[in-house]
Amino acid sequence: MRIGVPKEIKNGELRVALTPLAVTELRAQGHDVLVEKGAGDGSSLPDTDFAAAGARIVDTADDVWASADLVVKVKEPLPPEYGRMCRGQVLFTYLHLAASLDCTEALLSSGVTAVAYETVERADGSLPLLAPMSEVAGRLATQVGAHALQATAGPDGLRGRGILLGGVPGVPPARVVVIGAGSAGTQATAVAVGMGARVAVLDRDVDRLRAAHTRFGSRIATAVSTRTELEATLTDADLVIGAVLVHGSRAPHLVSSDQVSRMAQGSVLVDIAIDQGGCFEVSRPTTHDHPTFSVHHSIVYAVPNMPSIVPHTSTHALVNVTLPYVSAIAGRGWRDAMATDPSLAMGLNTWSGQVTHAPVALAHALPYVPVENALRG
C-alpha cells in the first residue's frame, strides 16, 4: 500500500505522524511511504533521516494526498485539506469530530474512510492511541498552569496570582484542583504533587479516586465530583485542571462561568478537554502563539494540541502506539484489519459519506450507520 505523511498545518503543530524507524518497518513490509518535504522538521526529524529509511520525499501536500491509499496524520484535516481527501482513501489521525461539525461534513462530502485515533477502544474501555498524548498533556498541564500563575503580564494585562506552586518554608503551596482522575488527570496530579502543591482530585468514579488515593496517599485529597463539591473546592483554588473525557463525545461543561467569576483574581484554569469542546463553560480553543485569555479575573489556557509543544517526545510516544495499527491497515486493508481487531473497528468514524460512530452522529444530529454495515460494504 502507498502510505502518505503530509506536513501538519494546524497552528503550532510540530508533530509528525511517522518516524524514520516506523518508515523502515513499513518499507520492510513492502509498503511505499511518501513524506512531504519538511514534515518532520518540527520534531527534529529531518528529511535526510526519512530518505535514509526508504521514504520518498515529495514537494507538496498535494503530492501526498493525490498518491496515497492511506494518509496518516496527527491532527484533523483543516479547510485547506478538505478538497484533497477522496472517496476510497483511508485517513488515520486524531479527529475529535464531536466537537467539529465542519470537519465532519467535509469528511462525509469527500467519502473518505476516516479512522480516529481517539476512538480506537479495547474491550476493557482503554484508549490505546489516546493514552500517550493524555499522559503528555496531563504533565504539561501542571507546567503551563504553574507558569501562568507567575505575576508576569498575561492576557489583557491580567497577571497571575504570583504563587510558587510548591511554596517555601513558612509560606503555603498553591492549591491545585484536578477534575478527572483518568490518564491525563493522574499525570497532572503526579506533577503537581511532585512540585509540592496541595492537590484535590475530583471524579465521579469512586474506583478511580480509590486508585489515585492508593498511588498518592495523603499527599492528595479526593472527593466525588458533585456541583456542591466543585463549588466548595473552586473557591480557594489557585490552579484548576480540567481533565474530563467522554469517549468520542463532547466534553461536559462541569465548571460554569458563574463559578469562574467567584474564583480568586489571577487564578488559572487549564482545559485539557478542549479537543472535545472543553469542560469549562468559558473555554474556547487557543493556539500556542496565544495560549491564554482572560475571563472575569482568571486566566484560561485552552490549546487543543498541547503535546505539540514538546513534539520530539510526543511524536515518538504517538508512533509507538499507532504503528501496529498502521501496519495492520496497510497490510490487510482496513476492512480485514477491523474484522480481525474489534478495537480498531471502534475507530471508524466515517465511511462512504456516512457517520459510523454513534456519539458523533448524536453530537451533530446526523444519521448513523453501524460499523458492521461498513465492514460488509
Side-chain angles (χ1 to χ4, degrees):
M1 186 174 284
R2 185 167 293 165
I3 303 167
V5 181
K7 185 175 182 177
E8 299 295 324
I9 63 172
K10 191 178 184 76
N11 183 289
E13 184 53 71
L14 301 175
R15 291 171 290 180
V16 62
L18 292 178
T19 62
L21 284 176
V23 171
T24 299
E25 289 293 317
L26 293 168
R27 291 287 294 135
Q29 295 165 20
H31 304 299
D32 189 13
V33 183
L34 285 68
V35 177
E36 183 182 353
K37 183 178 179 180
D41 288 352
S43 295
S44 302
L45 298 171
D47 292 341
T48 52
D49 289 359
F50 282 103
R56 287 197 290 132
I57 308 300
V58 297
D59 289 332
T60 69
D62 286 335
D63 294 330
V64 173
W65 287 91
S67 301
D69 306 303
L70 167 62
V71 175
V72 186
K73 281 176 46 61
V74 177
K75 294 302 292 180
E76 73 282 354
L78 296 179
E81 297 170 305
Y82 290 169
R84 295 172 178 151
M85 301 183 291
C86 63
R87 187 174 296 271
Q89 195 171 56
V90 179
L91 172 64
F92 193 31
T93 186
Y94 286 118
L95 287 171
H96 300 288
L97 295 183
S100 176
L101 177 59
D102 287 347
C103 187
T104 302
E105 290 179 334
L107 294 174
L108 297 178
S109 177
S110 70
V112 70
T113 299
V115 187
Y117 293 161
E118 74 276 4
T119 65
V120 173
E121 182 177 345
R122 292 181 177 141
D124 62 2
S126 62
L127 305 172
L129 306 190
L130 188 63
M133 295 303 96
S134 293
E135 291 169 351
V136 172
R139 295 186 181 202
L140 281 173
T142 305
Q143 291 182 205
V144 298
H147 178 76
L149 275 174
Q150 296 174 182
T152 50
D156 306 317
L158 178 64
R159 297 178 181 274
R161 297 201 69 200
I163 294 177
L164 182 65
L165 215 63
V168 293
V171 181
R175 297 180 178 90
V176 176
V177 177
V178 180
I179 306 173
S183 180
T186 298
Q187 296 301 321
T189 299
V191 174
V193 167
M195 295 177 73
R198 288 181 288 179
V199 184
V201 180
L202 280 65
D203 200 295
R204 292 180 178 177
D205 188 331
V206 176
D207 288 337
R208 283 185 171 183
L209 294 177
R210 187 174 291 115
H213 180 76
T214 299
R215 176 171 177 176
F216 300 109
S218 60
R219 292 176 293 173
I220 65 171
T222 61
V224 173
S225 182
T226 63
R227 182 175 180 83
T228 301
E229 189 64 42
L230 269 174
E231 290 274 5
T233 308
L234 292 174
T235 302
D236 296 325
D238 300 304
L239 169 61
V240 179
I241 297 172
V244 176
L245 173 71
V246 179
H247 296 188
S249 301
R250 285 188 66 91
H253 287 162
L254 299 181
V255 177
S256 68
S257 177
D258 182 59
Q259 288 171 321
V260 175
S261 72
R262 294 197 294 274
M263 292 177 64
Q265 180 164 333
S267 56
V268 175
L269 300 97
V270 178
D271 197 340
I272 300 177
I274 192 63
D275 270 326
Q276 292 290 95
C279 59
F280 306 142
E281 183 184 3
V282 298
S283 292
R284 57 175 171 80
T286 59
T287 67
H288 286 298
D289 290 340
H290 302 285
T292 60
F293 59 93
S294 63
V295 172
H296 303 301
H297 35 249
S298 294
I299 298 169
V300 180
Y301 180 104
V303 179
N305 54 335
M306 285 180 67
S308 68
I309 203 170
V310 285
H312 187 78
T313 296
S314 297
T315 288
H316 283 86
L318 179 60
V319 176
N320 284 343
V321 294
T322 59
L323 181 57
Y325 293 97
V326 173
S327 296
I329 294 171
R332 299 197 294 271
W334 67 271
R335 279 196 175 91
D336 285 349
M338 290 182 183
T340 304
D341 185 353
S343 67
L344 179 58
M346 294 287 287
L348 186 64
N349 276 217
T350 73
W351 162 75
S352 192
Q354 301 171 91
V355 176
T356 54
H357 190 65
V360 173
L362 181 63
H364 302 308
L366 292 169
Y368 162 66
V369 173
V371 170
E372 293 75 18
N373 289 20
L375 295 184
R376 289 195 297 267

